[in-house]
Amino acid sequence: MQEVIQVNVLNREDDLDNRIYKLESLINTAGGKSIAYVSQVVEKVNPRFFIGSGKVSEIKDLAKKLEIDTVIFDVELSASQLYNLEEELKLHVVDWTSLILDIFAQRANTKESRLKIKLAQLKYQLPRLNKWFSYLSRQAGGIGTRGPGETMLETDRRAVIRDIKSLEKQLKDVEKTKITNRKSRDNIYNISLLGYTNAGKSTILNGMMHLYGKDKFVYSDDLLFATLDTSTRRLDFSNTKVTLTDTVGFIDNLSKELNDSFLTTLEEIKFADMLLIVIDASLNIDHQIKTIEKAVEDIDLEDKHILYVFNKMDKIDDDFKVKLFKRDKDRIYISAKDEKDLEKLKEKIVEIIKKDYKKVSMHIPFSDGDVLDYLMTNYDILDTKYDGLGTIIQFEISSEDMNKYGKYIESI
Ligand SMILES: Nc1nc2c(ncn2[C@@H]2O[C@H](COP(=O)(O)OP(=O)(O)OP(=O)(O)O)[C@@H](O)[C@H]2O)c(=O)[nH]1
Ligand SMILES: [Mg+2]
């Protein structure tokens, strides 16, 4: 276990305990251990170090006393702040973005997630490389500005840009396959799980798979960013067939580079008919909701059903606070570890899907047996009759199928 000093930098409104907990969880996930906690409320950023110089000396003394060589911040530092801090402290300085990148890098185990993390790392490095470049030119001053160091950096920079382009192209190809896969789900009702990291999305998917599916389970663990890829599973809610997609969790203060690596999550969301917004009821609810809403703010959610799923209800003593979450929104309170709750969730999902259903009577000629087959397997048929030409069935139909099979309708 690598021992580190953790530094929380706050606004006046931030809740210190919450921030300490969050940074510490990420440090643990990355395989480190916080053995000293430093924090500062920063009203005005010190351009040189981000935090005040007094704080910097405090950290320096602390590190010497505790014999620690790494300090981790919960904010993103600019290239020059990183450089100045390392020079001043003579310590290894890690900021919020590189900490998360490090966790991703450790965890990435599919082609797609490896490409994404590599891309995010290079994008993070590029502007920092630039800073170094200008720093070195200043040092060199005038004569010999085209020295070997600089040439090397310029080459590095070009190599990085080239690698970024190549990775972006490879990712596009991966995305193409995803689009094809999504197309094949066009005719089925698609549900996406989304939410803060560690809220329980993968646990819900696995629980549902156990009850209503046949595919293989997805990875879930008590770690931040356990899931780094989206994956879709088919579920059979008796006569309602759906797909359920697990996505990469959100976290706040993500930089642009990292947000880009979440793109596939956002693409999945665009494609979904229903979103299950999973919230860990045992942690700060408003904060999670705010982070999620910010992440999806550019996506048009107009025509999607949204169900708020308050999870881990078994962990809270007083569920009053959660139930105060008053909005004009569909919501459900569950524990993903409880099968009965998952059944309730399934019922709720089916109820929402069927809200748009209309009761119809259809006449299907005997020659269109495939249509009858489709309807019989996908709907609860309320009544069946026959005449000389075909079958007359009564059932509640989705609006999509209503458009598709409208010509068979006898009465609504
Ligand atoms: N007590 C309790 N623990 C839960 C519940 N649901 C999930 N967990 C635990 O919470 C941890 C995180 O669950 P995951 O399903 O991996 O969370 P996730 O949302 O997929 O997280 P990421 O993939 O990291 O974004 C695991 O240790 C689960 O066992 C619940 O209802 N109650
Ligand atoms: Mg997960």
Side-chain angles (χ1 to χ4, degrees):
M1 276 271 189
Q2 188 185 353
E3 296 187 330
V4 306
I5 297 179
Q6 77 166 58
V7 183
N8 289 103
V9 188
L10 317 171
N11 289 325
R12 207 197 285 273
E13 332 54 275
D14 287 331
D15 171 21
L16 179 60
D17 287 343
N18 184 21
R19 289 284 292 271
I20 288 179
Y21 171 78
K22 204 155 49 186
L23 180 58
E24 191 165 13
S25 312
L26 280 176
I27 290 172
N28 293 340
T29 304
K33 186 174 183 330
S34 303
I35 64 162
Y37 304 81
V38 177
S39 66
Q40 186 170 45
V41 174
V42 170
E43 300 279 335
K44 193 168 162 289
V45 170
N46 172 5
R48 186 141 176 251
F49 297 127
F50 203 110
I51 53 174
S53 352
K55 246 330 148 189
V56 177
S57 326
E58 190 187 311
I59 295 169
K60 194 171 179 175
D61 295 344
L62 202 58
K64 200 175 269 161
K65 207 172 85 199
L66 299 168
E67 296 181 355
I68 287 178
D69 61 8
T70 304
V71 43
I72 303 186
F73 284 73
D74 71 344
V75 285
E76 179 163 321
L77 300 166
S78 75
S80 57
Q81 284 156 359
L82 259 177
Y83 178 77
N84 295 337
L85 280 164
E86 293 212 322
E87 278 293 287
E88 181 66 28
L89 292 166
K90 304 282 182 247
L91 297 172
H92 178 42
V93 177
V94 177
D95 73 352
W96 180 250
T97 306
S98 43
L99 175 61
I100 293 174
L101 282 171
D102 188 80
I103 293 172
F104 272 40
Q106 280 181 29
R107 197 68 51 67
N109 56 7
T110 61
K111 182 179 173 204
E112 182 181 358
S113 56
R114 274 198 296 264
L115 287 173
K116 283 197 297 198
I117 185 66
K118 186 87 197 108
L119 182 61
Q121 274 175 331
L122 290 177
K123 284 187 171 169
Y124 175 80
Q125 279 164 11
L126 191 60
R128 286 155 180 87
L129 223 53
N130 256 339
K131 269 286 169 198
W132 264 99
F133 177 60
S134 54
Y135 169 78
L136 278 194
S137 336
R138 265 202 321 277
Q139 292 285 301
I143 304 167
T145 35
R146 299 266 153 223
E150 189 181 336
T151 313
M152 199 186 75
L153 274 166
E154 186 55 27
T155 323
D156 275 358
R157 224 179 79 82
R158 273 194 226 116
V160 171
I161 292 174
R162 201 169 48 234
D163 286 353
I164 287 179
K165 292 224 169 89
S166 145
L167 284 168
E168 278 173 342
K169 193 181 163 305
Q170 291 179 57
L171 270 169
K172 270 218 179 83
D173 291 341
V174 175
E175 185 54 24
K176 263 187 214 141
T177 331
K178 288 231 153 174
I179 291 172
T180 320
N181 289 343
R182 267 185 226 127
K183 278 234 171 75
S184 73
R185 293 192 263 135
D186 252 352
N187 288 325
I188 193 160
Y189 197 90
N190 295 291
I191 305 172
S192 265
L193 291 154
L194 69 145
Y196 211 78
T197 175
N198 211 43
K201 300 175 294 298
S202 302
T203 309
I204 292 176
L205 178 72
N206 283 336
M208 288 298 211
M209 281 293 306
H210 181 68
L211 292 170
Y212 307 107
K214 290 194 207 79
D215 284 328
K216 51 181 190 304
F217 294 114
V218 298
Y219 175 65
S220 144
D221 207 337
D222 197 8
L223 292 167
L224 298 173
F225 301 113
T227 305
L228 287 181
D229 294 288
T230 59
S231 41
T232 299
R233 299 287 184 264
R234 282 172 190 268
L235 298 176
D236 191 348
F237 294 162
S238 58
N239 278 324
T240 311
K241 294 187 179 46
V242 301
T243 63
L244 188 58
T245 299
D246 191 16
T247 63
V248 184
F250 295 116
I251 196 159
D252 41 315
N253 288 333
L254 271 195
S255 65
K256 174 82 178 68
E257 303 91 57
L258 271 174
N259 249 330
D260 285 351
S261 31
F262 281 109
L263 221 62
T264 357
T265 292
L266 298 181
E267 285 304 309
E268 276 307 325
I269 294 170
K270 282 185 202 160
F271 182 76
D273 300 299
M274 187 190 295
L275 302 178
L276 303 184
I277 299 190
V278 184
I279 294 156
D280 182 341
S282 69
L283 296 175
N284 186 329
I285 291 164
D286 290 333
H287 181 75
Q288 292 172 71
I289 292 176
K290 236 185 255 159
T291 305
I292 296 161
E293 285 178 350
K294 186 159 187 304
V296 302
E297 69 187 356
D298 293 335
I299 298 179
D300 181 11
L301 302 177
E302 272 294 286
D303 57 345
K304 300 185 194 308
H305 287 291
I306 295 180
L307 175 61
Y308 286 81
V309 181
F310 290 90
N311 188 33
K312 305 198 188 181
M313 291 300 284
D314 57 296
K315 277 178 86 176
I316 64 172
D317 301 328
D318 176 15
D319 59 5
F320 180 68
K321 234 173 82 191
V322 181
K323 292 190 168 150
L324 274 185
F325 171 74
K326 279 252 178 300
R327 279 201 222 187
D328 180 19
K329 304 277 191 220
D330 278 322
R331 58 186 175 281
I332 186 168
Y333 309 99
I334 66 161
S335 164
K337 305 223 158 176
D338 182 339
E339 282 199 0
K340 286 219 170 51
D341 280 1
L342 290 175
E343 281 164 18
K344 258 179 21 196
L345 175 61
K346 170 225 151 190
E347 292 300 323
K348 182 90 186 172
I349 291 171
V350 172
E351 183 193 309
I352 293 174
I353 294 176
K354 291 201 168 164
K355 235 188 243 163
D356 292 341
Y357 279 23
K358 287 212 168 59
K359 193 166 168 187
V360 291
S361 169
M362 279 191 176
H363 185 273
I364 321 275
F366 290 129
S367 54
D368 291 348
D370 50 335
V371 175
L372 187 65
D373 264 359
Y374 169 79
L375 297 174
M376 300 279 270
T377 39
N378 286 286
Y379 291 99
D380 291 317
I381 305 300
L382 306 170
D383 187 44
T384 313
K385 281 201 272 293
Y386 303 93
D387 64 10
L389 301 169
T391 314
I392 301 153
I393 49 174
Q394 250 187 39
F395 64 104
E396 292 184 346
I397 191 170
S398 72
S399 44
E400 273 170 9
D401 280 345
M402 178 101 133
N403 291 334
K404 219 154 122 201
Y405 301 109
K407 66 173 183 179
Y408 299 108
I409 295 176
E410 279 197 333
S411 63
I412 299 179

